[in-house]
Amino acid sequence: MSEPEILGESLPFDERIELSGWKHASVSADDYKAYLAKSLADPEASWAAVAKELHWFRHWDSVLSRDIYPHVYHWFEGGLLNLSYLALDRHASSWRRNKVALIWEGEPTDEKGGPREVRKITYGEMLRDVNRIASVLQRKFGLRKGDRMAVYMPLIPEAIMTLLAAARLGVTFTVVFSGFSAESLASRVADLEAKVIVTADGTYRRGKTVLFKEIVDKALEQTPSVKNVVLIRRLGVPCPMKEGRDYFLDELVSELPARATVEPEKVESGHPLYVLYTSGTTGKPKGIIHDTGGYATLLHATMKWVFDIRDDDVYWCPADIGWVTGHSYVAFGPLIEGATVVIFEGALDFPQPDRWWAIVERYGVSIFYTTPTATRAQMKFGEEPVRKHDLSSLRVIQSVGEPINPSAWRWLFTLVGNSSCPVGSTWWMTETGGVMVSSLPGLQLIPMKPGSNGLPIPGVKADIVDENGASVAPGKKGFLVIETPWPGMPGPPTGMYGDPERFEKQYYSRFPGKDYFFCGDYAVKDMDGYIWVAGRADEVLKVAGHRLGTYEIESAIVSHRAASEAAVVAIPDAIKGEVPIAFVVLRQGHEPDENLRKEVRKWVRESFSPIAEPAQVFFVNKLPKTRSGKIMRRLLRAVAEGKPLGDVATLEDETSVSEAKKAYEELGVK
Ligand code: 6R9
């Protein structure tokens, strides 16, 4: 394996940056090693101690137990709880009743550049509104525990309220990212057999309106399970409505008694809170199931350790709720902690490049959870948009979604955080439910290293291993694995919705004889035990932090009338981390030209998602394949990066590579 690096920058293993005056750690530096060791000696006891801090209607009988499938576990079996109770009722019946839970800013601005719409919603108000949405779902549409629903929404307060309303009823939900096409929406809704879709009339994006209802209607042609559609008015535009099926939420709420409440359903700890579809190496997206009790426990622990969340903080993570980060660290985690959470509808540089920094200043954001792509995009605008604003409220900065290159880390640390905030890179994935490897300023701030993820959190045993599952020496690249179960892992009954076999095969079959969870990431451990995740080791792409499968993009391409075969690989990109490029074989009767190239890119954008659009399309006569017919994407990547091909013994036809090389060199990637 080649030397580990991030976007061409080497990893500063020896650099140690200490923050003098950091006083927030809850465990002293001397005790920290012992604390970690104790948590690893008995992870169940350490997780039970965290879980005890939540509210349970009934205490659990056992901390960790197995189900019928080998690596699907129950955490806190016998325990009963409700996530909307944890996030709302607890706070609304305490002094936090009138504390602001959500600060929402819409995208449009006024003549002076200030926001046209800001809503501040207290815990008391939020509980009332969530009760109303839950009442509508229960009384009007008959949804109850065990049913499934889908959410396709922009970042508005009602999106978060809808998730909490579903949780209140014990209805398992799936959120589909609103940048996905009707086809992507339909396949997820159909897989889950959702009965109801909650959506909005649209949203603002870079000054334009984006309409949702027509996309939803198109998806509904392929989703017979859906009986009703609930619409939230964001834009106030007319929508095509089907009588008896489609309703506006505000009209239904106005029919309710003013004090409409729904008792939170006391669900088992293992009850599926949500299913989130994410890209894998092959086939259709996988529905990852997250339970209630284990998930809430992991979120509670990480909100304290990773973010050091406190009552006087203003917390902001600009992620969309369509991604796991939006579930765990926009909607659920911070609200479980009773925090004040900022949400913003729009784009980071609209109408001006300083929009995010204006928001930090306006609301006094103290904890900021960003991404490497956003950071690199902002670096491009220079320092002035940052310097223009008083960012002194910031005290903790974390990053997520992809490896952060050391120079982007330094920019966050010195410029945004004024060299006085801890800055970290939290490693985790949809499957883990919450952060697994990270700096922990709320527990103990060990020296920071630019670009590193830090150590596994207490109670999580992770390592870097070779092909055979043996631990590799410090400095050597290998695969990141999690060795023991953790709360928040894919939950019962099947880990992956409807497909326990695929779950087992994908995550637990890589190292026979070992119960290691295979993450699919390359990583390296340094001499201090710090982990540096350097990127995916499989056919998964991270484009601007968004997870996509090469297979999904290839499927979109070959659904175009002119394409017969496609191979997609990722190449490094200075801002987005990586971007897809496509090698395409045309059907007979189609000639390669610039128009067709443009058309294929547009096709992917429209039939799948704008984030999946290939940065370049290369037409070739054949793809490099093994003798058994598997596409050798590794060779195409080597061609694009101008690197040696490596082992080509299994390659069927060498001219396929020289052809790809020629096509690449002629056209390049703009
Ligand atoms: C939370 C999320 C998971 C993949 C993961 C890895 C990459 C996420 C990272 C990181 C390096 C970090 N990733 N955080 N790589 N450093 N701090 O992103 O979930 O969309 O499922 O993606 O993202 O490759 O395997 P998800």
Side-chain angles (χ1 to χ4, degrees):
M1 289 182 204
S2 56
E3 275 304 298
E5 55 172 45
I6 302 175
L7 278 180
E9 296 177 32
S10 60
L11 309 182
F13 291 145
D14 294 328
E15 192 169 341
R16 291 178 189 79
I17 298 176
E18 306 223 31
L19 211 56
S20 60
W22 182 255
K23 295 188 189 72
H24 297 280
S26 59
V27 174
S28 77
D30 293 343
D31 297 341
Y32 186 55
K33 272 215 168 105
Y35 183 97
L36 272 181
K38 195 168 152 227
S39 81
L40 292 181
D42 193 349
E44 291 179 37
S46 78
W47 286 117
V50 176
K52 272 201 186 108
E53 294 174 7
L54 301 171
H55 181 274
W56 297 79
F57 299 118
R58 183 185 186 278
H59 194 272
W60 55 87
D61 301 318
S62 62
V63 176
L64 181 65
S65 47
R66 281 176 188 263
D67 203 321
I68 50 170
Y69 296 111
H71 295 96
V72 179
Y73 298 88
H74 282 271
W75 278 88
F76 310 114
E77 193 167 16
L80 297 177
L81 75 167
N82 181 285
L83 218 138
S84 102
Y85 183 91
L86 288 180
L88 296 174
D89 303 58
R90 273 196 312 168
H91 308 311
S93 60
S94 77
W95 67 267
R96 292 196 189 99
R97 179 167 190 81
N98 296 318
K99 177 176 174 177
V100 173
L102 290 184
I103 303 174
W104 173 77
E105 183 168 309
E107 193 192 72
T109 45
D110 59 24
E111 319 74 60
K112 290 193 199 120
R116 263 210 330 247
E117 299 155 289
V118 175
R119 288 166 66 190
K120 295 189 179 179
I121 302 163
T122 65
Y123 275 95
E125 291 166 336
M126 183 117 160
L127 177 62
R128 182 198 62 205
D129 292 351
V130 166
N131 262 308
R132 288 177 176 165
I133 300 176
S135 298
V136 163
L137 296 174
Q138 186 187 55
R139 296 182 201 180
K140 179 82 188 175
F141 305 120
L143 288 187
R144 50 197 170 83
K145 184 178 166 213
D147 286 336
R148 275 96 52 209
M149 62 181 245
V151 175
Y152 188 70
M153 275 223 241
L155 202 44
I156 54 176
E158 285 75 11
I160 293 174
M161 291 175 188
T162 300
L163 306 190
L164 289 166
R168 196 164 190 85
L169 298 170
V171 171
T172 302
F173 61 82
T174 192
V175 184
V176 181
F177 175 52
S178 60
F180 279 156
S181 65
E183 284 74 22
S184 309
L185 173 61
S187 71
R188 288 156 173 81
V189 170
D191 189 65
L192 196 63
E193 294 176 294
K195 283 192 180 166
V196 168
I197 298 184
V198 184
T199 184
D201 55 358
T203 188
Y204 291 100
R205 198 73 188 163
R206 292 183 190 283
K208 296 205 181 86
T209 56
V210 182
L211 304 180
F212 285 14
K213 184 61 178 19
E214 275 158 27
I215 301 174
V216 171
D217 281 349
K218 201 166 158 217
L220 283 167
E221 290 165 12
Q222 304 164 52
T223 55
S225 64
V226 176
K227 303 287 173 264
N228 294 103
V229 178
V230 185
L231 273 139
I232 291 161
R233 272 188 243 264
R234 159 67 187 118
L235 302 175
V237 294
C239 292
M241 301 292 276
K242 188 168 166 194
E243 176 99 33
R245 185 192 71 184
D246 305 348
Y247 297 89
F248 279 108
L249 179 74
D250 53 320
E251 288 170 11
L252 297 177
V253 165
S254 69
E255 293 165 12
L256 292 170
R259 274 192 63 178
T261 56
V262 175
E263 276 303 299
E265 184 80 27
K266 298 180 169 101
V267 302
E268 312 80 63
S269 178
H271 181 71
L273 176 68
Y274 65 82
V275 173
L276 183 56
Y277 289 84
T278 187
S279 305
T281 44
T282 52
K284 59 182 181 149
K286 312 167 288 193
I288 300 297
I289 304 174
H290 282 298
D291 73 348
T292 307
Y295 182 66
T297 301
L298 179 61
L299 296 190
H300 175 49
T302 49
M303 284 309 303
K304 290 196 305 179
W305 301 340
V306 174
F307 300 104
D308 187 38
I309 191 100
R310 281 150 204 270
D311 261 309
D312 51 4
D313 278 311
V314 175
Y315 171 94
W316 186 29
C317 166
D320 188 86
I321 51 149
W323 305 105
V324 72
T325 308
H327 288 59
S328 298
Y329 298 110
V330 178
F332 295 118
L335 295 178
I336 289 174
E337 302 308 306
T340 296
V341 183
V342 173
I343 53 175
F344 170 52
E345 182 185 33
L348 72 95
D349 55 353
F350 190 85
Q352 299 295 332
D354 68 334
R355 184 73 188 260
W356 275 18
W357 313 119
I359 290 175
V360 170
E361 178 174 8
R362 194 151 37 241
Y363 307 112
V365 171
S366 55
I367 304 177
F368 183 49
Y369 194 21
T370 185
T371 65
T373 289
T375 306
R376 289 188 294 259
Q378 283 158 330
M379 286 167 77
K380 205 180 62 181
F381 301 128
E383 298 193 352
E384 196 262 349
V386 186
R387 292 204 188 279
K388 226 163 101 177
H389 294 280
D390 175 0
L391 305 183
S392 58
S393 57
L394 286 173
R395 65 179 198 91
V396 175
I397 301 173
Q398 294 283 14
S399 158
V400 64
E402 43 177 324
I404 186 159
N405 43 318
S407 53
W409 186 96
R410 284 182 223 281
W411 194 82
L412 282 176
F413 181 71
T414 48
L415 184 67
V416 178
N418 192 28
S419 303
S420 59
C421 302
V423 174
S425 171
T426 66
W427 178 87
W428 60 293
M429 55 200 300
T430 305
E431 291 83 343
T432 69
V435 175
M436 295 278 104
V437 182
S438 176
S439 69
L440 303 173
L443 201 54
Q444 175 54 242
L445 187 67
I446 58 173
M448 297 176 278
K449 300 191 183 196
S452 168
N453 301 102
L455 305 181
I457 67 169
V460 166
K461 229 174 155 183
D463 199 8
I464 318 294
V465 300
D466 65 16
E467 290 287 352
N468 305 314
S471 200
V472 300
K476 287 265 170 293
K477 201 163 148 185
F479 304 108
L480 177 63
V481 293
I482 305 176
E483 295 176 35
T484 51
W486 68 97
M489 67 193 300
T494 49
M496 196 183 287
Y497 193 76
D499 208 344
E501 286 81 25
R502 192 166 163 212
F503 176 73
E504 179 67 17
K505 184 161 177 267
Q506 172 86 34
Y507 302 110
Y508 283 101
S509 66
R510 182 73 181 233
F511 306 105
K514 300 206 159 147
D515 284 327
Y516 291 175
F517 176 87
F518 174 66
C519 308
D521 277 317
Y522 279 131
V524 55
K525 204 160 68 175
D526 68 23
M527 53 289 183
D528 298 319
Y530 285 48
I531 289 174
W532 304 66
V533 173
R536 297 290 308 182
D538 57 13
E539 305 302 341
V540 169
L541 276 66
K542 278 297 223 158
V543 181
H546 296 154
R547 182 163 160 186
L548 302 167
T550 50
Y551 178 86
E552 286 171 284
I553 307 176
E554 289 162 4
S555 307
I557 295 173
V558 297
S559 69
H560 186 277
R561 61 184 170 81
S564 86
E565 282 186 280
V568 167
V569 297
I571 57 166
D573 179 85
I575 290 184
K576 294 181 180 171
E578 54 186 21
V579 290
I581 56 170
F583 293 84
V584 178
V585 180
L586 290 174
R587 283 180 196 284
Q588 279 206 336
H590 294 276
E591 288 306 313
D593 66 21
E594 192 53 34
N595 279 342
L596 193 52
R597 214 186 304 283
K598 279 196 192 132
E599 203 182 305
V600 169
R601 292 177 63 184
K602 182 159 171 264
W603 178 260
V604 174
R605 197 165 64 228
E606 287 172 2
S607 73
F608 179 24
S609 174
I611 49 178
E613 179 180 337
Q616 189 57 283
V617 171
F618 303 99
F619 294 121
V620 290
N621 289 310
K622 48 179 138 12
L623 298 171
K625 288 183 184 166
T626 61
R627 288 190 188 97
S628 60
K630 270 187 117 181
I631 299 174
M632 297 180 79
R633 295 186 188 78
R634 170 174 69 79
L635 300 182
L636 293 172
R637 210 172 303 134
V639 162
E641 291 181 20
K643 290 193 175 151
L645 295 180
D647 183 8
V648 288
T650 55
L651 179 63
E652 193 199 12
D653 179 353
E654 294 203 10
T655 59
S656 59
V657 178
S658 39
E659 207 199 322
K661 210 170 173 171
K662 192 163 156 260
Y664 188 86
E665 278 162 8
E666 268 173 26
L667 200 60
V669 179
K670 283 179 271 305

